[in-house]
Amino acid sequence: MGVKASIIYLTRNGGAVFRESLEAVFSQEAPFDFEVIAVDSGSTDGTLEIMKERPVRVHSIKPEEFNFGLTRDYGFSLAKGEILITLSQDAVPAGRSWLKDLVAPFDDPSVAAVQGVEEIPQGADAFYWHKARLFYYTRECADWIGRHGGIGLSFVCCAVRRSVWEENRLGAVEMSEDKVFQKKLREKGKRIMMQEKAAVFHSHQYGIVELARRCENEGLGWRNVGQGYSAVDMVRDSFNFGVMLGYLRGLVRCEIRKPAEFLFPFIRPVFIYRGNHFTKRYVR
């Protein structure tokens, strides 16, 4: 039997969490053969050495050559499996059946892609608004998910049928290549499903500058798929009732502690708007 699934990472300075991710991947109990591929864009922190400890097929590109869409396409093109799995370098599979569960829905030939779920690791120093499930509260996210069957496709943890990708290559995309791919599939009536059993632990922490940059790039990504975000949306999101309740709860429980967490409800709408209307290139 040949390789059924290919797990593809895009790596750069993945650090200790990436080591955890690899360890979890290679501990999977799957009834089929799988391979692990990494496209590295200039790691200098020992990530390449970590991969040498495992049977990972590593391909390197120059940092200036990195593009989310083109690099993702390149990684997919290197794969041997019929199922292509994207896994972020900071996402750690939860449990040893993650891979089996993520691939299982493809027994149905109508399934084009399968979305895994993200969980916050217990005890992690995660950004408050991620833990509160309010990070993506702004209207462009709600609108997109509402128009796409309740799923906002994310390549943090996702599986794609190889034949579907071959017919819907990403091309040059600076941000949100997963949403570009989702749009292509939706326009062709392809089926995407959620797999609640296939969870990964994934969390972030931000400084103020990192948060602003992240939101600005998101705004740019939404523009890539034709998802608008108006000045009216920005103002209304700045006074979102649910977020204000979350803000109060976080303050009372002393869960909002860092400057970026205090400023998040104001930073996110402003920089989503900026990215959606004015940003020309991915902000690094």
Side-chain angles (χ1 to χ4, degrees), residues 149-252:
I151 297 175
L153 195 72
S154 169
F155 280 167
V156 168
C157 172
C158 182
V160 178
R161 196 180 295 276
R162 182 186 185 89
S163 59
V164 172
W165 164 72
E166 288 175 341
E167 296 172 359
N168 299 276
R169 294 178 186 245
L170 294 158
V173 182
E174 288 199 84
M175 181 67 183
S176 299
E177 81 283 11
D178 41 16
K179 303 302 186 296
V180 169
F181 189 68
Q182 183 175 12
K183 183 179 180 182
K184 288 174 182 278
L185 298 195
R186 179 175 174 80
E187 289 173 347
K188 294 184 177 181
K190 301 290 186 180
R191 183 183 174 196
I192 301 172
M193 65 167 289
M194 291 288 296
Q195 173 56 294
E196 300 289 342
K197 294 181 180 180
V200 294
F201 295 122
H202 185 236
S203 64
H204 283 283
Q205 191 57 265
Y206 305 99
I208 291 174
V209 173
E210 293 170 306
L211 177 62
R213 185 186 301 126
R214 164 66 186 268
C215 294
E216 185 172 353
N217 285 326
E218 279 190 47
L220 171 64
W222 286 121
R223 193 171 76 228
N224 286 339
V225 293
Q227 177 66 53
Y229 188 71
S230 69
V232 172
D233 291 332
M234 176 180 65
V235 172
R236 294 177 71 181
D237 282 337
S238 297
F239 298 95
N240 181 286
F241 182 69
V243 171
M244 292 302 104
L245 284 179
Y247 198 82
L248 180 61
R249 183 167 56 247
L251 291 174
V252 169

Side-chain angles (χ1 to χ4, degrees), residues 4 14 34 49 64 74 96 102 174 176 217-218 270 278:
K4 181 170 184 176
F34 66 93
E49 287 70 27
E64 60 270 21
Y74 177 54
R96 295 188 175 185
L102 190 62
E174 288 199 84
S176 299
N217 285 326
E218 279 190 47
V270 169
F278 302 111

